[in-house]
Amino acid sequence: MKVDDVISYHELVAAEKANLQKGMNFGIGKSHSVVLMSVRQGAPYADAINPKTGMLTYEGHDVNRTKECPDPKLVDQPLATPRGSWTENGKFFRAAMDYKGGLRKKPELVKVYEKIARGIWCYKGFFELEDAAIVPDGNRKVFKFYLKPVEKKPIGRIVELPHNRLIPTYVKVEVWKRDGGKCVVCESTTNLHYDHEIPFSRGGSSLTSENVRLLCAKHNLSKSDKIMILIPWLLPAISSLNSHGRN
Ligand SMILES: [Zn+2]
């Protein structure tokens, strides 16, 4: 899967080979965790991406709604369960503190998926869990997790990602509506990807919907083939473009 691929919830579950109902899933992959985020109106948690730095601030999760606790939004987000085991908040928090305190060398690697519309998700790539905090939020305390966008290279090498490559959510939502959830070439509704019309590596912007469109896998691929044929002397640039996930 490439960054900015559009997938259904079922594809998301198939890709991670797990039921991700919880939203926060510590250590669910061989070497990574998975979180689901949303900055849509009415989203249950206050997730946010800083447009300047690309840093993700991810809010922890509430206690479950029960008879004894009819309104989880009035209760501190829990670090541990009543039985004393870590909640997902606790697992992510401990990983962040261990990294900050030098108890672990590498930060926890986290795959992030973002909700774009009902049943429609977008893969946002890998982030590193750098820090966490417990902060007051009105009458209660919530967890905040701070994650930095990174790129996972072959052989597992992690490099910093140029943050302005990330397409902001408002652009994605706008493009999704404008293109009607279909490939702009063939109207396919499967294997869709957010494509930069002018690639980011050649100066195209992520920040305006005019330079972003929906393409199916086939047309996304044929676009890069075309570039290969037209400008062979740009091969070095193209190969770096491809290694960036054909942005
Ligand atoms: Zn197409």
Side-chain angles (χ1 to χ4, degrees), residues 42-63:
Y45 299 106
D47 302 331
I49 295 230
N50 182 316
K52 281 198 183 131
T53 62
M55 287 285 291
L56 164 62
T57 303
Y58 188 84
E59 191 172 280
H61 286 186
D62 299 336
V63 294

Side-chain angles (χ1 to χ4, degrees), residues 165-230:
R165 231 200 85 210
L166 293 171
I167 303 171
T169 305
Y170 70 88
V171 170
K172 283 182 176 156
V173 171
E174 211 175 298
V175 168
W176 180 263
K177 280 188 192 151
R178 184 198 64 205
D179 296 348
K182 296 175 195 156
C183 170
V184 294
V185 181
C186 70
E187 304 205 333
S188 166
T189 56
T190 52
N191 296 324
L192 296 174
H193 179 85
Y194 282 100
D195 175 71
H196 291 83
E197 203 146 346
I198 302 168
F200 174 77
S201 52
R202 293 174 60 199
S205 170
S206 302
L207 302 178
T208 155
S209 61
E210 277 106 66
N211 192 42
V212 179
R213 59 189 174 171
L214 285 174
L215 283 185
C216 70
K218 194 178 121 203
H219 287 113
N220 190 37
L221 208 65
S222 72
K223 178 197 165 196
S224 65
D225 287 349
K226 216 174 279 169
I227 296 173
M228 289 287 226
I229 294 159
L230 287 177

Side-chain angles (χ1 to χ4, degrees), residues 11-176:
E11 289 169 312
L12 204 171
V13 168
E16 295 300 334
K17 300 183 187 71
N19 186 342
L20 303 170
Q21 215 71 309
K22 285 185 296 187
M24 293 176 76
N25 305 274
F26 189 83
I28 200 169
K30 259 186 210 154
S31 57
H32 67 267
S33 297
V34 174
V35 298
L36 310 184
M37 66 168 287
S38 177
V39 297
R40 302 163 73 227
Q41 244 183 349
Y45 299 106
D47 302 331
I49 295 230
N50 182 316
K52 281 198 183 131
T53 62
M55 287 285 291
L56 164 62
T57 303
Y58 188 84
E59 191 172 280
H61 286 186
D62 299 336
V63 294
N64 291 331
R65 190 188 308 271
T66 59
K67 243 186 236 169
E68 294 76 37
C69 178
D71 191 354
K73 291 285 176 203
L74 297 177
V75 183
D76 285 349
Q77 290 186 342
L79 184 76
T81 66
R83 285 178 169 184
S85 56
W86 296 100
T87 60
E88 293 302 305
N89 296 330
K91 292 175 196 168
F92 279 87
F93 190 75
R94 190 174 57 165
M97 291 303 114
D98 283 355
Y99 173 63
K100 256 182 92 177
L103 290 176
R104 57 183 285 168
K105 277 189 193 145
K106 289 180 187 168
E108 178 68 13
L109 200 55
V110 183
K111 258 169 134 174
V112 178
Y113 293 91
E114 180 177 25
K115 193 170 188 176
I116 296 299
R118 201 191 163 100
I120 307 295
W121 294 79
C122 184
Y123 175 49
K124 285 187 92 70
F126 281 102
F127 286 67
E128 282 180 343
L129 176 60
E130 290 205 316
D131 201 358
I134 301 173
V135 301
D137 173 39
N139 301 321
R140 63 166 187 157
K141 286 177 184 148
V142 300
F143 287 87
K144 295 285 180 184
F145 300 99
Y146 304 100
L147 300 113
K148 184 175 82 178
V150 294
E151 194 167 356
K152 198 176 174 194
K153 294 282 191 189
I155 334 170
R157 198 162 58 91
I158 307 292
V159 296
E160 208 160 316
L161 184 76
H163 56 77
N164 44 356
R165 231 200 85 210
L166 293 171
I167 303 171
T169 305
Y170 70 88
V171 170
K172 283 182 176 156
V173 171
E174 211 175 298
V175 168
W176 180 263

